[in-house]
Amino acid sequence: MDSKSTFQQPLAFTCLIIFAFCFACIGEWRPFFFDIDEPKYITAAMEMVRSGDWLHPMFGGLPRMQKPPLPYWLTAAVIDLFGTGFSTGTQLFIARIPAMLGSVMAVAATYLIGRRLGGEKCGLFAGLLLAVAPPFKIEGMLLKADIIYTAAVTWSSFFYLRRLQGQRGLFNLSGASVALALGVLSKGPFALPPLAGYLMAETFRNKSRREIPFYRAIPETLKKEAAPILLGLTACLPFILWLAAASSSGMDYLSGMLNDVSQNTTYKTPVLLHHLQSIGFYLYDAGIVFFPLGIFGLCAVYFLLRNKEDRNGDTSYLLWSGLFYLLLNMFVFRLRAHRYFLPLMPILSIIAVDWILTAKREGLFKKMFSVCTVLVALIPTAIGAIVLYSGKISVNLWRNAQISDFQTQAVPFAIAAFALSLTLGLAGLKLYKKPAKFLAIAFGGMLLFYPFYFNATPDVDTNGQLKPDTLLAKNMADTIDKSIATQDNYIFIASRRSLRIHPELHFFLHNTINRKGKSYLTTLPFQTHHFTRILKDPASASSILRTEKNGNIQTPLYGFLNTNKFEKTALILNNIEVSLLYRSLPSLNTFKSKTEFVAVKGLGHEWKNEILYLITLKNN
């Protein structure tokens, strides 16, 4: 293979990209959010388009400070291009286009890296099997920072690998820096492991070639690689400039992100106890993350480390980058979710495919390959059995939704899972000397499994109704549409807790409320005396927001509330808040006689039936 040629088989690469895009689109039109964070990203992007303020990610009129801006910008761009006013499923499909493109870009970079390390066949199988890997597919369906971040860092790895292989020109340095800059704009400085991995690979290569101690190789490498280091650190500049431009009194995005990191890294229990209590979660997470090729990838890493020549070869760069990602997951993200392993998946796919295709078929290989095959084959069996037993299926590899029809959905899914286990097991045991056939069968089996998975997950029926049940936020929007007159000028206030637990409310309610004259949806922290006051006097909302926290007067929410006059208030509260409101009233019967309570039921983002209350004053 000529490592200096990027595209030797343009037809194979083109077909891979077309397949990756078409496969990424499957499931994206479903009219619900896949987890609690996705509506925050999409709603913040829609607020950017509506307000024209692309500098400040906002949610409910208040700064959304947890993440850098690139996912919001990309989503806002496609929403601005295609517009709004579509059905829920179509609107969400449009908003998720950046996630689909992120998936495709990650697959493309995986192909190119695999091709440079192991040849055309390695790159093609690594890309195909990454695309159909369940954690990559399902996490790639969510419009969040993770898949965009994964695409960016995988491309930076591609450019650093080219440099490691001797192509030390400006093109590779620039490409790596641009990709790193996009990664930092998606996830902050956590996008720097590709640079760190490259420096470590160069250091050990320098140590081996010159036969010098490690401590002497470090300064020599740093001196030699001053340009990549400088350009890599410069990649943080767009993120820093955005922070400086966006932050102000009441909208300190840097403090918000640091607080988010602090929450992610803080243990509420002793560290050892935390990990002991999480063993079940770790086992589940490992089964998801390392299916189907990750387990083979771990064995491949062992074989690489056994061979001194391989330890200092080009593949060592992937090992070092993977180590830094793993350290981030352990000490920053606390191994809390499989989505944090997304950047590791291209690495594991490449290493696993290369090992399966090229390893000598000796005794140790056969034993480890057989063990990996058995472990991989057990995972679909376990999943199928769990679905049959519980009657539920996961829509995001974590939260489970009730299957609406056991016979036509759960049973076919379980049969397909058992068939996939049998296929993977027999193929691995029979074809370990024919690796290309084994990989092709594994890819085909995974691909054929997905129709049964999507058949079992929630979807709309022929009448346009979501099954197994309707969504709480959609039902609240329909209730408001039916019960509140169009000419009335309302301020709708959801308690901050309700909107934090049900962020999808903002998406579903916005279009409905916009049709209600000059009505507006906002959020305030729940305090009984404040909410009873706002119910009687809508104009008091701005003064309450002003006294809540220093800097709120700088937010668009305060500006809107202060300059617009509302005639009536509608409160959206949960069970606990309604109970606290009742207890605080001196005359409960009098209050009930003057207000209307509408209980709205439906499925929340955890796919459990929940209740919210719409509270308004009765017309005199």
Side-chain angles (χ1 to χ4, degrees):
M1 179 191 67
D2 179 8
S3 66
K4 295 184 179 181
S5 175
T6 301
F7 301 101
Q8 288 183 338
Q9 298 291 338
L11 179 60
F13 181 74
T14 302
C15 291
L16 174 66
I17 296 303
I18 293 173
F19 166 77
F21 179 75
C22 293
F23 190 69
C25 291
I26 297 174
E28 293 284 24
W29 59 82
R30 302 207 166 194
F32 54 81
F33 293 101
F34 293 110
D35 77 348
I36 192 172
D37 291 324
E38 192 185 27
K40 300 173 186 175
Y41 283 93
I42 294 178
T43 303
M46 295 179 77
E47 287 197 26
M48 279 185 174
V49 175
R50 292 169 187 138
S51 66
D53 180 4
W54 290 51
L55 188 61
H56 302 98
M58 311 292 290
F59 181 72
L62 295 173
R64 173 157 167 75
M65 303 180 181
Q66 286 81 359
K67 294 293 184 291
L70 184 62
Y72 307 113
W73 287 344
L74 295 176
T75 309
V78 296
I79 291 173
D80 193 35
L81 176 64
F82 291 101
T84 57
F86 300 98
S87 65
T88 300
T90 303
Q91 192 67 67
L92 290 179
F93 181 89
I94 290 170
R96 290 165 179 156
I97 287 175
M100 300 178 231
L101 296 179
S103 298
V104 174
M105 294 299 290
V107 169
T110 300
Y111 163 84
L112 294 174
I113 295 171
R115 193 184 154 284
R116 295 186 74 83
L117 291 175
E120 187 72 32
K121 194 179 293 185
C122 175
L124 189 60
F125 276 122
L128 288 171
L129 286 161
L130 175 67
V132 299
F136 184 83
K137 164 59 184 171
I138 295 175
E139 286 293 340
M141 291 168 62
L142 280 66
L143 191 280
K144 294 167 66 174
D146 301 280
I147 190 64
I148 299 169
Y149 158 70
T150 297
V153 295
T154 307
W155 272 96
S156 67
S157 296
F158 167 66
F159 288 112
Y160 281 126
L161 176 63
R162 284 166 59 95
R163 181 175 174 84
L164 190 71
Q165 291 178 330
Q167 295 178 256
R168 305 179 66 83
L170 183 61
F171 174 77
N172 290 316
L173 278 180
S174 301
S177 299
V178 169
L180 277 186
L182 295 175
V184 173
L185 281 171
S186 300
K187 203 79 170 179
F190 302 127
L192 294 177
L195 173 60
Y198 169 74
L199 294 175
M200 289 299 294
E202 279 286 6
T203 299
F204 275 89
R205 179 175 288 186
N206 190 28
K207 171 183 175 296
S208 176
R209 285 175 177 173
R210 300 192 55 192
E211 298 182 350
I212 57 177
F214 180 67
Y215 68 87
R216 286 185 55 193
I218 293 175
E220 291 190 12
T221 300
L222 294 178
K223 182 179 179 180
K224 177 184 174 184
E225 301 299 331
I229 294 172
L230 180 61
L231 283 176
L233 296 177
T234 303
C236 297
L237 188 59
F239 173 67
I240 295 171
L241 291 175
W242 168 76
L243 275 178
S247 296
S248 61
S249 177
M251 292 193 286
D252 189 348
Y253 284 88
L254 177 60
S255 296
M257 290 180 193
L258 291 176
N259 288 336
D260 187 54
V261 172
S262 176
Q263 291 176 6
N264 282 334
T265 57
T266 300
Y267 290 90
K268 297 180 180 179
T269 58
V271 176
L272 180 59
L273 180 61
H274 169 83
H275 290 299
L276 288 174
Q277 292 174 336
S278 304
I279 286 178
F281 170 77
Y282 294 156
L283 292 175
Y284 167 81
D285 226 32
I288 293 296
V289 169
F290 296 119
F291 179 79
L293 281 186
I295 297 175
F296 292 98
L298 296 179
C299 291
V301 170
Y302 170 74
F303 271 77
L304 286 170
L305 294 177
R306 288 179 69 214
N307 189 315
K308 183 177 179 180
E309 183 178 345
D310 288 339
R311 286 203 302 267
N312 296 317
D314 294 340
T315 310
S316 67
Y317 166 61
L318 296 184
L319 297 181
W320 281 112
S321 298
L323 176 62
F324 286 118
Y325 288 128
L326 186 60
L327 292 174
L328 277 177
N329 286 330
M330 291 176 63
F331 297 108
V332 177
F333 300 126
R334 293 181 294 153
L335 299 172
R336 293 192 313 155
H338 45 259
R339 60 190 172 92
Y340 296 130
F341 287 88
L342 270 180
L344 274 170
M345 295 192 64
I347 294 174
L348 287 172
S349 290
I350 294 164
I351 292 175
V353 168
D354 188 39
W355 177 65
I356 292 171
L357 288 173
T358 62
K360 294 180 180 179
R361 267 48 186 174
E362 55 187 10
L364 180 60
F365 171 86
K366 183 177 180 180
K367 291 178 182 178
M368 296 190 71
F369 188 86
S370 299
V371 170
C372 290
T373 298
V374 171
L375 291 175
V376 167
L378 286 174
I379 293 174
T381 296
I383 293 173
I386 291 171
V387 168
L388 276 181
Y389 176 77
S390 65
K392 296 180 179 180
I393 193 166
S394 176
V395 296
N396 59 6
L397 301 178
W398 185 238
R399 300 299 180 187
N400 295 323
Q402 187 69 42
I403 293 177
S404 55
D405 191 311
F406 189 82
Q407 293 294 329
T408 62
Q409 294 178 307
V411 172
F413 173 85
I415 293 173
F418 299 150
L420 178 60
S421 289
L422 185 62
T423 300
L424 293 174
L426 290 177
L429 296 175
K430 296 289 185 181
L431 300 173
Y432 81 96
K433 289 186 177 180
K434 299 178 180 179
K437 286 187 177 181
F438 166 72
L439 292 172
I441 290 173
F443 168 72
M446 292 297 304
L447 190 62
L448 293 174
F449 174 71
Y450 275 99
F452 297 94
Y453 169 75
F454 284 112
N455 177 62
T457 54
D459 201 357
V460 292
D461 60 17
T462 54
N463 297 320
Q465 294 296 313
L466 184 67
K467 298 295 182 182
D469 202 350
T470 52
L471 300 176
L472 175 62
K474 179 66 166 59
N475 291 344
M476 178 63 76
D478 292 342
T479 299
I480 290 173
D481 199 32
K482 295 175 183 176
S483 61
I484 292 180
T486 303
Q487 68 273 14
D488 290 335
N489 188 6
Y490 270 86
I491 178 172
F492 292 84
I493 299 180
S495 69
R496 197 155 294 171
R497 176 177 174 79
S498 294
L499 200 59
R500 186 174 68 247
I501 297 175
H502 303 287
E504 66 276 9
L505 277 171
H506 204 290
F507 175 87
F508 281 98
L509 267 58
H510 189 275
N511 289 335
T512 298
I513 290 173
N514 268 3
R515 294 197 298 269
K516 304 295 180 182
K518 297 180 180 179
S519 297
Y520 188 75
L521 171 66
T522 186
T523 179
L524 290 172
F526 177 77
Q527 294 185 30
T528 54
H529 60 288
H530 283 168
F531 273 58
T532 52
R533 177 185 168 192
I534 295 172
L535 193 59
K536 300 173 184 177
D537 178 19
S540 63
S542 60
S543 61
I544 291 172
L545 185 66
R546 184 176 63 246
T547 58
E548 179 212 343
K549 183 179 178 183
N550 290 334
N552 271 343
I553 59 174
Q554 305 295 329
T555 63
L557 174 58
Y558 175 80
F560 189 89
L561 296 180
N562 198 43
T563 56
N564 289 270
K565 304 302 178 183
F566 299 96
E567 300 168 358
K568 298 180 180 180
T569 303
L571 303 179
I572 300 173
L573 306 177
N574 60 36
N575 271 323
I576 296 175
E577 291 161 345
V578 169
S579 178
L580 291 173
L581 189 67
Y582 279 169
R583 293 177 189 175
S584 70
L585 297 171
S587 178
L588 179 59
N589 290 333
T590 301
F591 181 79
K592 283 186 173 181
S593 67
K594 294 182 179 181
T595 56
E596 292 185 0
F597 279 73
V598 179
V600 181
K601 300 180 181 180
L603 295 175
H605 74 275
E606 293 186 356
W607 298 98
K608 297 177 182 177
N609 277 297
E610 301 180 51
I611 300 176
L612 288 175
Y613 294 88
L614 180 67
I615 307 172
T616 57
L617 286 177
K618 292 180 179 179
N619 294 322
N620 294 329

